[in-house]
Amino acid sequence: MFSAGIIGLLPGAFFGGWVADRIGRKKILVGAVLLFGLFSLCTAYVESYSSLLLVRFMTGLGLGAALPNLIALCAEAVSERNRGTAISVMYCGVPLGGALAAVVAMFSSEHWQTTFIIGGLVPLLVVPLMALLLPESSAFRQQHSATGSQRPSSAHALFGEGRTRNTLALWLSYFFTLTVMYMLLNWLPSLLLEQGFSKPQAGMIQMLFNIGGALGSLLGGLLLDRCNGLKVVLFVYAGLLTALAGVGLAVGIVPMAIAGFAAGLFVMAAQLVLYALAPPSYPTAVRATGVGAAVAIGRLGSVAGPLAAGQI
């Protein structure tokens, strides 16, 4: 059931970006929110396993299509100088939404359907507000009026005009960063318990990991807007390597808590740096396609990470 949702994210991210470059970021984003809201609501009422798989796949499809368009809209709504900060502030909604979902689940533990009913109704209520208040990207409108409906092929969008190196570098970075991130998200509590930490201690370290992640999402964007991009990338990934070594080598609750916090901070900062670096790597006409393809490759990493950790 969980895999069906993740599988839906892959085509959702790629085709959501690809179609948005043709008809507009806003239309696809509104449609994506409508899609995952509707099928989240349906999850509470399905009566067979095959129906459950279908609605989770469709929910993932909507969620996958939303992210590259959020990134593209955010990147095109502000000046280049503030792009990283804007994307990081926008992306803070993800862990905040996750925390809110956890609170809903905690208060409705006896009726699991409540989580999906609320998780479906809220996006559906937001859709009319988006349709009325969310502006289409001005950069997309200018590009669309200049070129009409003509768009380069996906292969040209990703690899044409000397973009091959950037595209492959982004794909590699997205894949391995999300591999590490989801490895930690899924396995850190179990690994801590195996190391002899108590359940409350493991929960505290996991909480610190998430707090570090929220701070890291802001840190990545702010650093990119104020410092040299290459230096920021080197700093963030050096920090991530050091934090991961700390998680592997730390002995005792205090060193492990520090390492867990640092791992969350740097892995989320790394993801934010990638989200901020992807949009300027592509011209407006193919931006959502480029970002969507990178996000889709990252989703493969999010599947690979937990599987690899299990084998190890």
Side-chain angles (χ1 to χ4, degrees):
M1 183 193 76
F2 290 121
S3 296
I6 293 170
I7 291 165
L9 292 169
L10 300 175
F14 181 77
F15 289 108
W18 182 76
V19 177
D21 278 334
R22 282 148 180 80
I23 66 171
R25 286 66 159 125
K26 178 181 174 176
K27 289 176 184 174
I28 297 300
L29 182 58
V30 170
V33 174
L34 187 64
L35 190 69
F36 74 69
L38 185 63
F39 283 99
S40 288
L41 194 59
C42 289
T43 305
Y45 299 103
V46 291
E47 295 182 349
S48 70
Y49 179 62
S50 56
S51 300
L52 183 62
L53 290 180
L54 177 63
V55 297
R56 295 318 297 157
F57 174 82
M58 295 302 291
T59 305
L61 203 68
L63 284 166
L67 186 56
N69 284 292
L70 278 167
I71 295 170
L73 270 170
C74 230
E76 293 170 353
V78 296
S79 66
E80 191 175 334
R81 194 165 61 88
N82 297 314
R83 184 177 286 148
T85 304
I87 291 172
S88 65
V89 170
M90 176 275 292
Y91 196 73
C92 277
V94 175
L96 289 174
L100 191 60
V103 171
V104 170
M106 195 166 61
F107 284 105
S108 58
S109 55
E110 292 182 12
H111 304 284
W112 62 268
Q113 292 94 336
T114 306
T115 305
F116 290 96
I117 291 168
I118 293 172
L121 285 175
V122 172
L124 293 177
L125 292 171
V126 169
V127 162
L129 294 174
M130 292 172 68
L132 287 170
L133 303 176
L134 182 70
E136 178 57 272
S137 159
S138 57
F140 171 80
R141 285 202 306 268
Q142 290 166 10
Q143 179 71 33
H144 193 71
S145 61
T147 61
S149 59
Q150 293 181 343
R151 290 290 181 276
S153 67
S154 297
H156 180 81
L158 298 171
F159 304 111
E161 298 171 9
R163 287 190 287 272
T164 301
R165 184 179 169 187
N166 273 7
T167 293
L168 293 178
L170 281 169
W171 285 7
L172 246 129
S173 305
Y174 269 73
F175 180 88
F176 285 111
T177 302
L178 267 81
T179 296
V180 171
M181 183 177 172
Y182 278 84
M183 195 181 277
L184 289 168
L185 282 170
N186 286 273
W187 279 93
L188 187 58
S190 303
L191 292 171
L192 291 168
L193 292 172
E194 289 289 328
Q195 290 289 334
F197 291 100
S198 67
K199 216 167 186 179
Q201 287 175 328
M204 184 196 73
I205 294 167
Q206 184 74 9
M207 184 184 72
L208 287 170
F209 175 84
N210 286 309
I211 292 170
L215 291 172
S217 67
L218 283 172
L219 178 72
L222 288 168
L223 284 176
L224 266 184
D225 285 342
R226 285 157 180 76
C227 308
N228 176 274
L230 179 60
K231 288 179 181 177
V232 172
V233 170
L234 292 172
F235 167 71
V236 166
Y237 280 94
L240 179 53
L241 286 169
T242 306
L244 290 172
V247 171
L249 299 171
V251 177
I253 183 66
V254 174
M256 185 61 83
I258 294 168
F261 174 82
L265 186 142
F266 283 109
V267 78
M268 189 61 84
Q271 190 181 22
L272 247 298
V273 164
L274 293 178
Y275 284 158
L277 287 175
S281 299
Y282 299 95
T284 302
V286 296
R287 182 165 289 141
T289 301
V291 174
V295 170
I297 295 294
R299 292 301 177 190
L300 289 173
S302 70
V303 175
L307 291 173
Q311 292 297 317
I312 293 165

PDB file of all heavy atoms in Angstrom, residues 59-87:
ATOM      1  N   THR A  59      -3.242   9.117  -5.397  1.00  0.00           N
ATOM      2  CA  THR A  59      -2.832  10.146  -4.433  1.00  0.00           C
ATOM      3  C   THR A  59      -1.376  10.523  -4.672  1.00  0.00           C
ATOM      4  O   THR A  59      -1.018  11.706  -4.702  1.00  0.00           O
ATOM      5  CB  THR A  59      -3.001   9.635  -2.985  1.00  0.00           C
ATOM      6  OG1 THR A  59      -4.352   9.207  -2.796  1.00  0.00           O
ATOM      7  CG2 THR A  59      -2.693  10.729  -1.976  1.00  0.00           C
ATOM      8  N   GLY A  60      -0.523   9.505  -4.844  1.00  0.00           N
ATOM      9  CA  GLY A  60       0.895   9.745  -5.127  1.00  0.00           C
ATOM     10  C   GLY A  60       1.100  10.506  -6.427  1.00  0.00           C
ATOM     11  O   GLY A  60       1.965  11.379  -6.525  1.00  0.00           O
ATOM     12  N   LEU A  61       0.275  10.209  -7.423  1.00  0.00           N
ATOM     13  CA  LEU A  61       0.353  10.901  -8.716  1.00  0.00           C
ATOM     14  C   LEU A  61       0.121  12.400  -8.528  1.00  0.00           C
ATOM     15  O   LEU A  61       0.860  13.238  -9.058  1.00  0.00           O
ATOM     16  CB  LEU A  61      -0.704  10.313  -9.660  1.00  0.00           C
ATOM     17  CG  LEU A  61      -0.484  10.455 -11.172  1.00  0.00           C
ATOM     18  CD1 LEU A  61       0.712   9.615 -11.616  1.00  0.00           C
ATOM     19  CD2 LEU A  61      -1.728   9.998 -11.921  1.00  0.00           C
ATOM     20  N   GLY A  62      -0.902  12.748  -7.747  1.00  0.00           N
ATOM     21  CA  GLY A  62      -1.198  14.157  -7.478  1.00  0.00           C
ATOM     22  C   GLY A  62      -0.097  14.833  -6.683  1.00  0.00           C
ATOM     23  O   GLY A  62       0.330  15.947  -7.005  1.00  0.00           O
ATOM     24  N   LEU A  63       0.379  14.162  -5.630  1.00  0.00           N
ATOM     25  CA  LEU A  63       1.456  14.729  -4.798  1.00  0.00           C
ATOM     26  C   LEU A  63       2.723  14.925  -5.619  1.00  0.00           C
ATOM     27  O   LEU A  63       3.415  15.932  -5.473  1.00  0.00           O
ATOM     28  CB  LEU A  63       1.740  13.799  -3.612  1.00  0.00           C
ATOM     29  CG  LEU A  63       0.718  13.829  -2.475  1.00  0.00           C
ATOM     30  CD1 LEU A  63       0.931  12.643  -1.544  1.00  0.00           C
ATOM     31  CD2 LEU A  63       0.817  15.127  -1.697  1.00  0.00           C
ATOM     32  N   GLY A  64       3.022  13.946  -6.484  1.00  0.00           N
ATOM     33  CA  GLY A  64       4.225  14.033  -7.325  1.00  0.00           C
ATOM     34  C   GLY A  64       4.165  15.211  -8.286  1.00  0.00           C
ATOM     35  O   GLY A  64       5.162  15.899  -8.505  1.00  0.00           O
ATOM     36  N   ALA A  65       2.998  15.461  -8.851  1.00  0.00           N
ATOM     37  CA  ALA A  65       2.842  16.562  -9.813  1.00  0.00           C
ATOM     38  C   ALA A  65       2.905  17.926  -9.134  1.00  0.00           C
ATOM     39  O   ALA A  65       3.262  18.926  -9.766  1.00  0.00           O
ATOM     40  CB  ALA A  65       1.523  16.414 -10.569  1.00  0.00           C
ATOM     41  N   ALA A  66       2.569  17.975  -7.841  1.00  0.00           N
ATOM     42  CA  ALA A  66       2.517  19.267  -7.146  1.00  0.00           C
ATOM     43  C   ALA A  66       3.910  19.855  -6.915  1.00  0.00           C
ATOM     44  O   ALA A  66       4.124  21.058  -7.128  1.00  0.00           O
ATOM     45  CB  ALA A  66       1.781  19.112  -5.818  1.00  0.00           C
ATOM     46  N   LEU A  67       4.882  19.030  -6.480  1.00  0.00           N
ATOM     47  CA  LEU A  67       6.161  19.569  -6.012  1.00  0.00           C
ATOM     48  C   LEU A  67       6.953  20.315  -7.081  1.00  0.00           C
ATOM     49  O   LEU A  67       7.392  21.453  -6.833  1.00  0.00           O
ATOM     50  CB  LEU A  67       7.008  18.463  -5.379  1.00  0.00           C
ATOM     51  CG  LEU A  67       8.300  18.937  -4.727  1.00  0.00           C
ATOM     52  CD1 LEU A  67       8.044  20.002  -3.666  1.00  0.00           C
ATOM     53  CD2 LEU A  67       9.068  17.773  -4.112  1.00  0.00           C
ATOM     54  N   PRO A  68       7.194  19.748  -8.288  1.00  0.00           N
ATOM     55  CA  PRO A  68       7.974  20.518  -9.266  1.00  0.00           C
ATOM     56  C   PRO A  68       7.318  21.834  -9.664  1.00  0.00           C
ATOM     57  O   PRO A  68       8.009  22.814  -9.955  1.00  0.00           O
ATOM     58  CB  PRO A  68       8.092  19.563 -10.470  1.00  0.00           C
ATOM     59  CG  PRO A  68       7.069  18.519 -10.267  1.00  0.00           C
ATOM     60  CD  PRO A  68       6.865  18.405  -8.796  1.00  0.00           C
ATOM     61  N   ASN A  69       5.987  21.875  -9.635  1.00  0.00           N
ATOM     62  CA  ASN A  69       5.301  23.118  -9.984  1.00  0.00           C
ATOM     63  C   ASN A  69       5.351  24.136  -8.855  1.00  0.00           C
ATOM     64  O   ASN A  69       5.424  25.346  -9.098  1.00  0.00           O
ATOM     65  CB  ASN A  69       3.854  22.812 -10.396  1.00  0.00           C
ATOM     66  CG  ASN A  69       3.791  22.224 -11.786  1.00  0.00           C
ATOM     67  OD1 ASN A  69       4.079  22.890 -12.770  1.00  0.00           O
ATOM     68  ND2 ASN A  69       3.475  20.941 -11.874  1.00  0.00           N
ATOM     69  N   LEU A  70       5.329  23.657  -7.607  1.00  0.00           N
ATOM     70  CA  LEU A  70       5.547  24.561  -6.472  1.00  0.00           C
ATOM     71  C   LEU A  70       6.938  25.193  -6.559  1.00  0.00           C
ATOM     72  O   LEU A  70       7.100  26.392  -6.361  1.00  0.00           O
ATOM     73  CB  LEU A  70       5.411  23.789  -5.155  1.00  0.00           C
ATOM     74  CG  LEU A  70       3.997  23.568  -4.629  1.00  0.00           C
ATOM     75  CD1 LEU A  70       4.002  22.538  -3.511  1.00  0.00           C
ATOM     76  CD2 LEU A  70       3.398  24.875  -4.135  1.00  0.00           C
ATOM     77  N   ILE A  71       7.942  24.361  -6.863  1.00  0.00           N
ATOM     78  CA  ILE A  71       9.319  24.854  -6.960  1.00  0.00           C
ATOM     79  C   ILE A  71       9.442  25.858  -8.101  1.00  0.00           C
ATOM     80  O   ILE A  71      10.023  26.938  -7.940  1.00  0.00           O
ATOM     81  CB  ILE A  71      10.316  23.684  -7.147  1.00  0.00           C
ATOM     82  CG1 ILE A  71      10.318  22.792  -5.896  1.00  0.00           C
ATOM     83  CG2 ILE A  71      11.723  24.203  -7.424  1.00  0.00           C
ATOM     84  CD1 ILE A  71      11.081  21.480  -6.080  1.00  0.00           C
ATOM     85  N   ALA A  72       8.883  25.511  -9.280  1.00  0.00           N
ATOM     86  CA  ALA A  72       8.970  26.404 -10.441  1.00  0.00           C
ATOM     87  C   ALA A  72       8.241  27.718 -10.194  1.00  0.00           C
ATOM     88  O   ALA A  72       8.759  28.803 -10.498  1.00  0.00           O
ATOM     89  CB  ALA A  72       8.412  25.702 -11.686  1.00  0.00           C
ATOM     90  N   LEU A  73       7.038  27.656  -9.639  1.00  0.00           N
ATOM     91  CA  LEU A  73       6.273  28.875  -9.343  1.00  0.00           C
ATOM     92  C   LEU A  73       7.013  29.761  -8.350  1.00  0.00           C
ATOM     93  O   LEU A  73       7.077  30.982  -8.512  1.00  0.00           O
ATOM     94  CB  LEU A  73       4.904  28.502  -8.772  1.00  0.00           C
ATOM     95  CG  LEU A  73       3.748  28.320  -9.757  1.00  0.00           C
ATOM     96  CD1 LEU A  73       2.541  27.729  -9.057  1.00  0.00           C
ATOM     97  CD2 LEU A  73       3.367  29.636 -10.425  1.00  0.00           C
ATOM     98  N   CYS A  74       7.572  29.120  -7.321  1.00  0.00           N
ATOM     99  CA  CYS A  74       8.314  29.860  -6.290  1.00  0.00           C
ATOM    100  C   CYS A  74       9.540  30.533  -6.896  1.00  0.00           C
ATOM    101  O   CYS A  74       9.822  31.701  -6.630  1.00  0.00           O
ATOM    102  CB  CYS A  74       8.758  28.876  -5.217  1.00  0.00           C
ATOM    103  SG  CYS A  74       8.360  29.421  -3.580  1.00  0.00           S
ATOM    104  N   ALA A  75      10.283  29.782  -7.706  1.00  0.00           N
ATOM    105  CA  ALA A  75      11.516  30.296  -8.309  1.00  0.00           C
ATOM    106  C   ALA A  75      11.229  31.472  -9.238  1.00  0.00           C
ATOM    107  O   ALA A  75      12.036  32.401  -9.344  1.00  0.00           O
ATOM    108  CB  ALA A  75      12.230  29.182  -9.068  1.00  0.00           C
ATOM    109  N   GLU A  76      10.066  31.435  -9.917  1.00  0.00           N
ATOM    110  CA  GLU A  76       9.735  32.466 -10.903  1.00  0.00           C
ATOM    111  C   GLU A  76       8.956  33.642 -10.306  1.00  0.00           C
ATOM    112  O   GLU A  76       8.700  34.623 -10.987  1.00  0.00           O
ATOM    113  CB  GLU A  76       8.942  31.830 -12.052  1.00  0.00           C
ATOM    114  CG  GLU A  76       9.799  30.858 -12.862  1.00  0.00           C
ATOM    115  CD  GLU A  76       9.020  30.007 -13.855  1.00  0.00           C
ATOM    116  OE1 GLU A  76       7.765  30.064 -13.844  1.00  0.00           O
ATOM    117  OE2 GLU A  76       9.656  29.283 -14.624  1.00  0.00           O
ATOM    118  N   ALA A  77       8.602  33.528  -9.013  1.00  0.00           N
ATOM    119  CA  ALA A  77       7.815  34.600  -8.379  1.00  0.00           C
ATOM    120  C   ALA A  77       8.695  35.660  -7.729  1.00  0.00           C
ATOM    121  O   ALA A  77       8.206  36.731  -7.370  1.00  0.00           O
ATOM    122  CB  ALA A  77       6.879  34.001  -7.325  1.00  0.00           C
ATOM    123  N   VAL A  78       9.989  35.358  -7.551  1.00  0.00           N
ATOM    124  CA  VAL A  78      10.895  36.280  -6.846  1.00  0.00           C
ATOM    125  C   VAL A  78      12.125  36.551  -7.707  1.00  0.00           C
ATOM    126  O   VAL A  78      12.363  35.889  -8.710  1.00  0.00           O
ATOM    127  CB  VAL A  78      11.342  35.696  -5.485  1.00  0.00           C
ATOM    128  CG1 VAL A  78      10.160  35.531  -4.545  1.00  0.00           C
ATOM    129  CG2 VAL A  78      12.073  34.375  -5.662  1.00  0.00           C
ATOM    130  N   SER A  79      12.904  37.543  -7.289  1.00  0.00           N
ATOM    131  CA  SER A  79      14.154  37.832  -7.991  1.00  0.00           C
ATOM    132  C   SER A  79      15.159  36.715  -7.738  1.00  0.00           C
ATOM    133  O   SER A  79      15.039  35.951  -6.774  1.00  0.00           O
ATOM    134  CB  SER A  79      14.734  39.162  -7.495  1.00  0.00           C
ATOM    135  OG  SER A  79      15.120  39.041  -6.131  1.00  0.00           O
ATOM    136  N   GLU A  80      16.157  36.634  -8.609  1.00  0.00           N
ATOM    137  CA  GLU A  80      17.177  35.582  -8.482  1.00  0.00           C
ATOM    138  C   GLU A  80      17.877  35.650  -7.123  1.00  0.00           C
ATOM    139  O   GLU A  80      18.254  34.627  -6.549  1.00  0.00           O
ATOM    140  CB  GLU A  80      18.197  35.741  -9.620  1.00  0.00           C
ATOM    141  CG  GLU A  80      19.132  34.563  -9.743  1.00  0.00           C
ATOM    142  CD  GLU A  80      20.054  34.690 -10.943  1.00  0.00           C
ATOM    143  OE1 GLU A  80      19.684  35.379 -11.924  1.00  0.00           O
ATOM    144  OE2 GLU A  80      21.154  34.118 -10.877  1.00  0.00           O
ATOM    145  N   ARG A  81      18.023  36.848  -6.578  1.00  0.00           N
ATOM    146  CA  ARG A  81      18.732  37.049  -5.313  1.00  0.00           C
ATOM    147  C   ARG A  81      18.000  36.407  -4.133  1.00  0.00           C
ATOM    148  O   ARG A  81      18.624  36.023  -3.143  1.00  0.00           O
ATOM    149  CB  ARG A  81      18.901  38.552  -5.060  1.00  0.00           C
ATOM    150  CG  ARG A  81      19.902  38.919  -3.982  1.00  0.00           C
ATOM    151  CD  ARG A  81      20.242  40.395  -4.078  1.00  0.00           C
ATOM    152  NE  ARG A  81      19.067  41.224  -3.881  1.00  0.00           N
ATOM    153  CZ  ARG A  81      18.645  41.642  -2.681  1.00  0.00           C
ATOM    154  NH1 ARG A  81      19.288  41.300  -1.592  1.00  0.00           N
ATOM    155  NH2 ARG A  81      17.588  42.415  -2.574  1.00  0.00           N
ATOM    156  N   ASN A  82      16.679  36.282  -4.237  1.00  0.00           N
ATOM    157  CA  ASN A  82      15.886  35.734  -3.129  1.00  0.00           C
ATOM    158  C   ASN A  82      15.311  34.353  -3.418  1.00  0.00           C
ATOM    159  O   ASN A  82      14.475  33.853  -2.658  1.00  0.00           O
ATOM    160  CB  ASN A  82      14.725  36.688  -2.801  1.00  0.00           C
ATOM    161  CG  ASN A  82      15.220  38.040  -2.336  1.00  0.00           C
ATOM    162  OD1 ASN A  82      16.118  38.121  -1.511  1.00  0.00           O
ATOM    163  ND2 ASN A  82      14.653  39.104  -2.889  1.00  0.00           N
ATOM    164  N   ARG A  83      15.763  33.727  -4.508  1.00  0.00           N
ATOM    165  CA  ARG A  83      15.160  32.456  -4.947  1.00  0.00           C
ATOM    166  C   ARG A  83      15.321  31.352  -3.898  1.00  0.00           C
ATOM    167  O   ARG A  83      14.373  30.646  -3.557  1.00  0.00           O
ATOM    168  CB  ARG A  83      15.791  32.032  -6.272  1.00  0.00           C
ATOM    169  CG  ARG A  83      15.172  30.763  -6.861  1.00  0.00           C
ATOM    170  CD  ARG A  83      15.798  30.461  -8.208  1.00  0.00           C
ATOM    171  NE  ARG A  83      15.306  31.374  -9.223  1.00  0.00           N
ATOM    172  CZ  ARG A  83      16.018  31.795 -10.273  1.00  0.00           C
ATOM    173  NH1 ARG A  83      17.278  31.415 -10.404  1.00  0.00           N
ATOM    174  NH2 ARG A  83      15.492  32.591 -11.166  1.00  0.00           N
ATOM    175  N   GLY A  84      16.538  31.191  -3.380  1.00  0.00           N
ATOM    176  CA  GLY A  84      16.786  30.118  -2.408  1.00  0.00           C
ATOM    177  C   GLY A  84      15.951  30.278  -1.156  1.00  0.00           C
ATOM    178  O   GLY A  84      15.363  29.310  -0.645  1.00  0.00           O
ATOM    179  N   THR A  85      15.858  31.510  -0.667  1.00  0.00           N
ATOM    180  CA  THR A  85      15.069  31.783   0.546  1.00  0.00           C
ATOM    181  C   THR A  85      13.596  31.487   0.305  1.00  0.00           C
ATOM    182  O   THR A  85      12.928  30.871   1.148  1.00  0.00           O
ATOM    183  CB  THR A  85      15.240  33.261   0.978  1.00  0.00           C
ATOM    184  OG1 THR A  85      16.635  33.526   1.160  1.00  0.00           O
ATOM    185  CG2 THR A  85      14.493  33.544   2.268  1.00  0.00           C
ATOM    186  N   ALA A  86      13.075  31.909  -0.854  1.00  0.00           N
ATOM    187  CA  ALA A  86      11.654  31.688  -1.159  1.00  0.00           C
ATOM    188  C   ALA A  86      11.331  30.196  -1.210  1.00  0.00           C
ATOM    189  O   ALA A  86      10.326  29.750  -0.643  1.00  0.00           O
ATOM    190  CB  ALA A  86      11.301  32.355  -2.493  1.00  0.00           C
ATOM    191  N   ILE A  87      12.190  29.416  -1.868  1.00  0.00           N
ATOM    192  CA  ILE A  87      11.948  27.972  -1.983  1.00  0.00           C
ATOM    193  C   ILE A  87      12.046  27.307  -0.612  1.00  0.00           C
ATOM    194  O   ILE A  87      11.249  26.425  -0.275  1.00  0.00           O
ATOM    195  CB  ILE A  87      12.927  27.333  -2.992  1.00  0.00           C
ATOM    196  CG1 ILE A  87      12.587  27.812  -4.416  1.00  0.00           C
ATOM    197  CG2 ILE A  87      12.868  25.799  -2.931  1.00  0.00           C
ATOM    198  CD1 ILE A  87      13.595  27.405  -5.472  1.00  0.00           C
TER     199      ILE A  87
END
